[in-house]
Amino acid sequence: AKKGSCVVPGSYKTTDGFRLGIWVYTQRTSKAALSPSRRRRLDELGFVWNAHELLWEQGFASLRSYVAEQGDCLVPQGFETADGFRLGIWVSHQRSRKSTLSPGRRRKLEALGFAWSAKASPQAVSPPSYRDLSNRSPALRKVAAYPAG
């Protein structure tokens, strides 16, 4: 768990052995049974009632940033953001779950120009050259500067 966050992995235990991850899960699943004062206290902490929704929105925000920087949604599967978010895996999961995504999520992705099939895109069929990649990655600019040979 990240310090200062109410997103706690299910297996997380505090240093004294308290199973905080299980406790958080229990609060989420029994929200309706909690007293209004307990719900309010958790809300005041910034408690995340739906971690899946939060994580999807974080993935979408990362994809939006990628599109702003790269100009497309063709995220390589192994791509990770600077903060370690595995955006390439997240994009792959969205593609494989197209039929089960809510219409709202599909619309949000499509508004960014989301490619539902990476194989259908020209970039996926024809690998880009180092020169093409140099536009995407500052680290590859040096490689692309050398003549092919």
Side-chain angles (χ1 to χ4, degrees):
K2 189 169 100 177
K3 189 174 183 178
S5 169
C6 286
V7 180
V8 181
S11 61
Y12 185 81
K13 289 182 185 178
T14 63
T15 55
D16 63 356
F18 180 71
R19 297 166 142 193
L20 183 60
I22 291 173
W23 183 86
V24 166
Y25 174 80
T26 302
Q27 304 316 298
R28 286 184 182 133
T29 58
S30 60
K31 180 181 179 181
L34 294 175
S35 71
S37 66
R38 283 192 179 187
R39 283 197 306 269
R40 186 174 47 257
R41 287 173 61 198
L42 289 169
D43 286 339
E44 288 169 358
L45 288 175
F47 193 80
V48 175
W49 294 103
N50 188 333
H52 294 293
E53 180 68 22
L54 175 71
L55 294 173
W56 192 91
E57 290 297 333
Q58 288 174 337
F60 182 76
S62 293
L63 179 60
R64 189 176 28 219
S65 295
Y66 181 90
V67 170
E69 186 177 310
Q70 304 300 334
D72 61 44
C73 291
L74 302 173
V75 182
Q77 190 162 10
F79 182 83
E80 289 186 16
T81 63
D83 64 357
F85 182 74
R86 297 180 343 174
L87 183 59
I89 299 294
W90 185 88
V91 166
S92 178
H93 286 197
Q94 304 318 299
R95 287 185 181 125
S96 68
R97 295 180 176 127
K98 179 181 180 183
S99 64
T100 59
L101 285 176
S102 71
R105 284 184 177 178
R106 285 196 306 270
R107 277 192 300 276
K108 285 177 84 167
L109 291 168
E110 289 166 356
L112 289 179
F114 194 79
W116 289 106
S117 172
K119 292 179 179 133
S121 70
Q123 287 90 337
V125 175
S126 306
S129 69
Y130 280 116
R131 291 197 195 287
D132 294 334
L133 287 172
S134 70
N135 293 328
R136 292 178 171 248
S137 170
L140 291 175
R141 285 192 185 114
K142 293 178 185 173
V143 175
Y146 294 106

